Amino acid sequence: MESIIVACVTGVVTLVGVILSNSKSRAIMEVKLDALTEKVEKHNRLIERTYRLEEGLSVVRNGIETLKGKAG
C-alpha cells in the first residue's frame, strides 16, 4: 500500500514539474517569436521602401532620357 502512495505522490510531483517546465519554455518561445516577428516587420518595411525608391529612380531615369532626347 505504501508503494502505491509513494508512486502516486511521485507521479503528481513529476506531472507538476513537467507542467511548470513547459509553461516556462512556452513563455521563452513567445518572447523569441515576438522578437523575430518585429525583425521580420522591419525587414519588410525596408523592402517596401527600397521598392518605392526603385520606382522613383525609374521615373527619374525616364525624365533624364526625355531631357537628353530634347537636348540632342
Side-chain angles (χ1 to χ4, degrees), residues 14-56:
T14 302
L15 180 63
V16 170
V18 168
I19 291 171
L20 291 175
S21 176
N22 284 344
S23 66
K24 288 181 183 181
S25 294
R26 181 174 290 190
I28 291 170
M29 291 284 281
E30 287 179 10
V31 169
K32 288 183 178 182
L33 183 61
D34 289 343
L36 182 59
T37 300
E38 183 179 338
K39 286 182 180 181
V40 168
E41 287 173 357
K42 285 181 182 180
H43 176 264
N44 288 345
R45 286 192 299 267
L46 176 65
I47 296 300
E48 289 172 4
R49 287 181 14 221
T50 302
Y51 180 73
R52 285 193 298 259
L53 286 172
E54 288 175 348
E55 286 179 334

